[in-house]
Amino acid sequence: MRALILLLALAACRETPLVAPDRTWQLIRLDGQPFAARATLRIGAQDAFDGQTPCNSYGGGWTGGGGAFAAGPIRATRRACPELAAEQSYLAALSRITAYDIADDLLTLSGPETTLVFTPAPPA
């Protein structure tokens, strides 16, 4: 019994929380495809999130917990750039998210017919 409790405690210590001070995630896959442009996401404890897309900064509020996640409404600056289509695909997918999971230091956000996979962003 003690061994089981110790294993559970160790597993809990290694779990990456969804909300962590100064944790920024970088998008690596959108719907199973590598995301070649740069997009980041930082989820704050005050029910807010923000990030940087290839062209713009964005942010909004979120609700959830216990595996649930809903973003919205999302606001973004309106600069144009060559990667605007990739940015729009990402923000549209983010607005459809209903759940999250963190495993092996990857954040997976999913919703109907969409999946976003993030890895911790390298330090700026």
Side-chain angles (χ1 to χ4, degrees), residues 10 13 24 41 48 53 61 63 75 97 105:
L10 287 173
C13 291
T24 299
L41 172 67
T53 59
T63 58
R75 64 188 184 290
I97 296 303
D105 218 19

Side-chain angles (χ1 to χ4, degrees), residues 51-59 73-85 87-88 91:
Q52 185 68 44
T53 59
C55 308
N56 293 287
S57 57
Y58 72 97
I74 299 171
R75 64 188 184 290
T77 56
R78 301 202 182 269
R79 292 184 292 262
C81 78
E83 297 170 314
L84 191 57
E87 173 181 303
Q88 291 171 339
L91 293 177

Side-chain angles (χ1 to χ4, degrees), residues 26-29 34-40 52-55 81-87 90:
Q26 182 172 327
L27 182 64
I28 57 171
R29 286 193 303 273
F35 193 76
R38 180 166 164 78
T40 63
Q52 185 68 44
T53 59
C55 308
C81 78
E83 297 170 314
L84 191 57
E87 173 181 303
Y90 165 60

Side-chain angles (χ1 to χ4, degrees), residues 5-112:
I5 293 171
L6 179 59
L7 286 174
L8 291 174
L10 287 173
C13 291
R14 292 183 7 195
E15 183 178 321
T16 303
L18 177 63
V19 176
D22 300 321
R23 174 169 296 275
T24 299
W25 299 95
Q26 182 172 327
L27 182 64
I28 57 171
R29 286 193 303 273
L30 171 61
D31 295 334
Q33 300 298 315
F35 193 76
R38 180 166 164 78
T40 63
L41 172 67
R42 187 176 54 153
I43 301 170
Q46 302 301 320
D47 300 336
F49 65 89
D50 61 59
Q52 185 68 44
T53 59
C55 308
N56 293 287
S57 57
Y58 72 97
W62 69 276
T63 58
F69 183 91
I74 299 171
R75 64 188 184 290
T77 56
R78 301 202 182 269
R79 292 184 292 262
C81 78
E83 297 170 314
L84 191 57
E87 173 181 303
Q88 291 171 339
S89 294
Y90 165 60
L91 293 177
L94 184 61
S95 71
R96 296 189 304 268
I97 296 303
T98 58
Y100 77 91
D101 182 56
I102 299 175
D104 300 324
D105 218 19
L106 294 176
L107 168 63
T108 302
L109 300 178
S110 57

